[in-house]
Amino acid sequence: MTKKNTWMIGCLAAALAAFLCACGPKKPELHIYTWSDYMKPELVKEFEKAHNCKVTIDTFDSNEAMYAKLRAGATGYDLLFPSSYMVKLLFDLDMLLPLDHAKLPNLGNIDPKYLSLAFDKEMHHSVPYTLTITSIGYLGSRVEDFKPSWSMFDRTDLKGRITLLNDMRETIGAGLKSLGYSLNSTDDAQLEEAKNVVLRWKKNIAKFENEQYKNGLASGEFLVTHGYSGDLMLVKEENDDIQIAIPEEGSALSFDDMCIPKTAPNPDLAHEFINFVLEPRNAADLTEFIWYLCPNAPSYELLSEEVREDPILFPPEEVVAKLEMIGDIGDDIAKYTKVWDAIKAGE
Ligand code: N2P
């Protein structure tokens, strides 16, 4: 071998050694698909450190958007956070992995009071993450004669300064509730009536909106918004004129659950993450950060007194009695899709 060749081989070996050192073995990755403003970044960092992994979070703004993406073939996700009725749909389509309870020693922390309301009471393929009470947010000093009622969406003096959720089950459900019907109704005549209510509201609102309403309410662009409880509480931190009310005709209660798709590249790490969220300290941290109650019984005593007394996070029994779980309506979901399409297309 010539001197030049020996020198070149030496250089190549050194470059290869440097490359291997810099990259090291690839870190395991956890891909989460969830709602926005739904995780505490510090907790994610803690998890990454403890498991020497990288967590990537993608967000959706409605169950239907998440579903459409998965059905279109998105397969890289390890952990999903849909609402229970959507979990049921994914389960029925055989898209979810049964959970391995041996890897989830913290499962017993789930509050039995809320677990009794869940669809998947055995936590066979999903674990409750949070509880949402769909509410009305409004600016206390700017809205005269506020009434905790769906009729606020008919107030023509607020025309153009109101938003409704861009969420089929929630908004048709609100129309049904305003008429005194179940928000899970599958009765054609009732759905027709609800459609007409929402079409009437549509004339009065600025838009159907699931994300921007938060900042819009905080900035005063919107005066009354249909919203998810925690999102409204989150923006209340920015503007304490924001008030939150639960309509007296009744409203929706829903769980968002953690579940693992069958196509998950890293189901073990997904189990680790679920178990991490179920640590009482982490669940309490999440409740106080995202403002949705994590139904984790031993976490409650770790919450501040103010949070424990909050009527939206811990609603009194008479309020809970007026709430209705967004249920699984099986194939009748097609009726809602049809009504929703008509609402979106209608004047
Ligand atoms: C989080 C919205 C989740 C609530 N930003 C819907 N269940």
Side-chain angles (χ1 to χ4, degrees):
M1 207 180 283
T2 63
K3 253 190 178 172
K4 192 176 168 200
N5 278 352
T6 318
W7 178 78
M8 272 176 64
I9 289 172
C11 281
L12 275 174
L16 186 66
F19 176 76
L20 287 177
C21 249
C23 296
K26 201 171 175 302
K27 277 188 183 181
E29 290 183 26
L30 179 74
H31 287 265
I32 296 179
Y33 195 26
T34 184
W35 303 82
S36 59
D37 298 327
Y38 225 27
M39 193 43 72
K40 184 172 180 178
E42 286 80 358
L43 282 180
V44 173
K45 284 206 186 85
E46 201 182 307
F47 181 83
E48 286 181 323
K49 217 166 143 201
H51 294 271
N52 188 30
C53 68
K54 176 160 173 35
V55 176
T56 307
I57 299 184
D58 276 359
T59 58
F60 52 81
D61 70 354
S62 73
N63 285 296
E64 287 68 29
M66 182 222 61
Y67 177 74
K69 189 160 173 190
L70 294 184
R71 293 296 277 168
T75 51
Y77 296 117
D78 297 296
L79 193 52
L80 312 171
F81 288 66
S83 304
S84 298
Y85 75 91
M86 183 54 71
V87 172
K88 176 75 172 58
L89 198 68
L90 298 177
F91 177 71
D92 289 346
L93 290 166
D94 200 27
M95 290 169 74
L96 299 180
L97 201 71
L99 295 175
D100 183 347
H101 285 205
K103 293 181 182 149
L104 300 170
N106 290 332
L107 271 189
N109 293 339
I110 294 291
D111 184 342
K113 172 178 154 193
Y114 286 118
L115 193 56
S116 70
L117 299 173
F119 301 163
D120 183 11
K121 296 188 193 346
E122 309 296 320
M123 296 187 275
H124 169 263
H125 51 271
S126 59
V127 181
Y129 175 57
T130 51
L131 204 72
T132 299
I133 298 176
T134 312
S135 312
I136 300 179
Y138 66 101
L139 292 182
S141 71
R142 309 266 303 273
V143 180
E144 275 174 27
D145 304 323
F146 178 85
K147 259 181 69 184
S149 162
W150 295 114
S151 63
M152 289 304 293
F153 295 93
D154 273 320
R155 284 260 304 254
T156 46
D157 59 318
L158 301 169
K159 192 177 170 78
R161 309 293 294 277
I162 315 177
T163 62
L164 278 169
L165 284 171
N166 189 14
D167 181 323
M168 173 175 101
R169 292 296 307 271
E170 292 282 4
T171 300
I172 299 173
L176 287 162
K177 274 286 176 209
S178 76
L179 294 161
Y181 302 140
S182 161
L183 56 71
N184 296 309
S185 174
T186 54
D187 177 279
D188 293 322
Q190 292 183 0
L191 280 168
E192 180 65 20
E193 274 185 76
K195 180 184 85 181
N196 291 330
V197 168
V198 180
L199 277 170
R200 194 177 71 225
W201 290 344
K202 187 181 172 187
K203 292 198 176 76
N204 214 25
I205 64 169
K207 50 184 160 177
F208 292 104
E209 174 40 58
N210 266 11
E211 284 294 338
Q212 304 299 328
Y213 75 90
K214 302 180 240 180
N215 292 336
L217 186 62
S219 70
E221 180 189 355
F222 305 131
L223 302 177
V224 174
T225 63
H226 180 206
Y228 304 118
S229 48
D231 288 8
L232 293 170
M233 289 184 68
L234 187 72
V235 286
K236 191 173 163 56
E237 286 185 328
E238 279 169 49
N239 179 348
D240 65 9
D241 193 24
I242 293 177
Q243 308 294 322
I244 305 170
I246 301 173
E248 60 198 7
E249 302 92 338
S251 189
L253 176 71
S254 54
F255 292 109
D256 291 327
D257 301 328
M258 296 179 276
C259 56
I260 306 177
K262 277 202 167 155
T263 51
N266 206 339
D268 280 345
L269 205 51
H271 277 88
E272 292 281 7
F273 195 86
I274 295 176
N275 203 50
F276 175 80
V277 164
L278 296 179
E279 281 291 333
R281 179 69 269 162
N282 297 341
D285 254 20
L286 281 163
T287 297
E288 292 192 342
F289 188 81
I290 62 173
W291 297 115
Y292 288 90
L293 179 72
C294 291
N296 181 305
S299 77
Y300 301 160
E301 62 180 28
L302 305 173
L303 298 169
S304 73
E305 204 179 319
E306 197 190 336
V307 167
R308 265 181 297 164
E309 283 169 6
D310 187 279
I312 300 286
L313 288 169
F314 291 94
E317 285 308 321
E318 65 272 20
V319 173
V320 177
K322 289 192 168 187
L323 301 174
E324 192 179 353
M325 277 286 283
I326 302 183
D328 166 43
I329 47 173
D331 290 345
D332 282 331
I333 191 85
K335 294 187 182 182
Y336 278 69
T337 309
K338 199 166 155 223
V339 166
W340 192 235
D341 288 346
I343 289 169
K344 287 301 190 74
E347 294 287 315

